[in-house]
Amino acid sequence: MPYFRRSGGRDHIFVFPSGAGAHLFRSWATYINRSIILTPEGDRTDKKDTSAFNTWKDIIIPGNVDDGMTKTGATVFQPLPLSKRKYLANYLGRAQKKVGRLKLIELAKQYPDKLECPELQFSGPNKLGRVEYFQHLGNSKFCLAPRGESSWTLRFYESFFVECVPVILSDQVELPFQNVIDYTEISIKWPSTSIGPELLDYLASIPDEVIEQIIGRGRQVRCLWVYAPDSEPCSTMRALMWELQRKVRQFHLSAETFWLHNGSVVNRNLVEFAKWKPPMPLP
């Protein structure tokens, strides 16, 4: 792997698109700790001693929203006017014994007219269908996104397409394309330690015209959550290329590369890079 060795992997990119992030590769810290990692997951400290995500080199990618909601034209579900929405807020997900989610379920029992929190089922007669899921999600002004097994949540991205305001209740969450997007303009982040009646009171105090403005701004950037073809002027891939472009270096350095007066790059044995032969020991 001479090209990997040349920069210690700094100019290599690895994709870990699941919620487990780079921890799927148990030896990531040994072999690819300097490489750029693309992942939706910025924090796994609930299950690991450390997070694989490094804000200075890695890039958060958005979760994959249902194609029926992201396509151009008629979608699976059409957003409702705010005046026709039944609830102030909702949380659609399983409890998974997570503190924040359990608090929301208890809060919904106290305020059933304001907060909808159905326990989602993977199978059986009570399982929500694809369309039903988005109908429930879009029947509130605010969509709550608490932490689950990890800090990221697909509901954050889905909320932009059903046009409810996402309320992040996950303190360690990392969001994509922060060099491009001002999240204070399109979402709310509330402390997960303050999930209670005060949250509902705060959300109820926000006028509908302000909610419409937040939704409108979200409508302008949600194309960045769509894994669309290169022909599209706005897509996840385009934003990803913006982020990668910011990381391009003129010069690549590692502990195992050296250079001489004539500009040639050599290894520890003073062999020129062009003449390196695999297999090479990993850095």
Side-chain angles (χ1 to χ4, degrees), residues 141-172:
K141 297 177 181 179
F142 299 93
C143 291
L144 309 183
R147 183 187 179 100
E149 285 295 328
S150 57
S151 61
W152 87 282
T153 167
L154 188 60
R155 286 166 201 83
F156 173 78
Y157 304 104
E158 291 173 333
S159 66
F160 288 91
F161 295 93
V162 299
E163 298 193 358
C164 60
V165 176
V167 180
I168 304 167
L169 302 172
S170 179
D171 300 349
Q172 283 78 34

Side-chain angles (χ1 to χ4, degrees), residues 39-263:
T39 175
E41 185 51 76
D43 176 70
R44 287 292 292 186
T45 51
D46 59 327
K47 294 184 178 295
K48 305 291 181 180
D49 293 332
T50 183
S51 174
F53 178 75
N54 182 323
T55 188
W56 299 111
K57 68 178 182 65
D58 301 328
I59 297 174
I60 294 294
I61 56 177
N64 188 29
V65 180
D66 189 298
D67 291 343
M69 291 300 295
T70 63
K71 67 181 182 178
T72 303
T75 56
V76 169
F77 167 77
Q78 292 297 314
L80 297 172
L82 292 182
S83 59
K84 293 188 177 181
R85 301 188 189 188
K86 183 177 180 180
Y87 298 99
L88 173 68
N90 66 43
Y91 161 61
L92 266 67
R94 295 175 299 128
Q96 296 179 303
K97 299 181 180 179
K98 301 301 177 183
V99 175
R101 296 183 173 202
L102 291 171
K103 284 183 179 179
L104 288 176
I105 291 171
E106 288 303 311
L107 193 62
K109 293 177 182 177
Q110 297 175 47
Y111 301 93
D113 57 328
K114 293 183 179 180
L115 177 60
E116 183 190 28
C117 269
E119 177 75 8
L120 291 192
Q121 303 293 328
F122 277 142
S123 59
N126 295 324
K127 178 184 176 181
L128 288 181
R130 175 171 170 241
V131 176
E132 291 175 305
Y133 172 80
F134 289 113
Q135 287 174 339
H136 276 271
L137 198 64
N139 203 21
S140 300
K141 297 177 181 179
F142 299 93
C143 291
L144 309 183
R147 183 187 179 100
E149 285 295 328
S150 57
S151 61
W152 87 282
T153 167
L154 188 60
R155 286 166 201 83
F156 173 78
Y157 304 104
E158 291 173 333
S159 66
F160 288 91
F161 295 93
V162 299
E163 298 193 358
C164 60
V165 176
V167 180
I168 304 167
L169 302 172
S170 179
D171 300 349
Q172 283 78 34
V173 71
E174 291 283 351
L175 300 171
F177 317 139
Q178 293 179 52
N179 291 315
V180 180
I181 298 170
D182 181 355
Y183 284 95
T184 65
E185 294 285 321
I186 61 173
S187 63
I188 293 170
K189 187 181 181 188
W190 183 268
S192 63
T193 50
S194 298
I195 296 176
E198 65 271 30
L199 170 59
L200 297 181
D201 290 343
Y202 164 69
L203 296 177
S205 72
I206 303 175
D208 280 0
E209 57 265 29
V210 175
I211 297 173
E212 291 280 11
Q213 290 170 5
I214 298 173
I215 290 173
R217 291 192 290 266
R219 200 180 292 126
Q220 299 301 312
V221 301
R222 68 187 182 187
C223 52
L224 297 178
W225 315 148
V226 181
Y227 289 86
D230 288 344
S231 57
E232 292 294 326
C234 177
S235 69
T236 296
M237 296 306 296
R238 194 162 289 252
L240 182 55
M241 295 307 293
W242 292 339
E243 292 280 10
L244 287 171
Q245 183 63 38
R246 292 170 61 92
K247 298 178 183 297
V248 173
R249 290 187 176 99
Q250 179 65 30
F251 189 79
H252 301 286
L253 171 70
S254 83
E256 295 298 324
T257 53
F258 307 86
W259 54 91
L260 306 179
H261 73 285
N262 59 3

Side-chain angles (χ1 to χ4, degrees), residues 260-275:
L260 306 179
H261 73 285
N262 59 3
S264 60
V265 178
V266 298
N267 66 10
R268 189 170 293 279
N269 297 320
L270 303 182
V271 177
E272 285 191 62
F273 170 71
K275 297 178 181 178

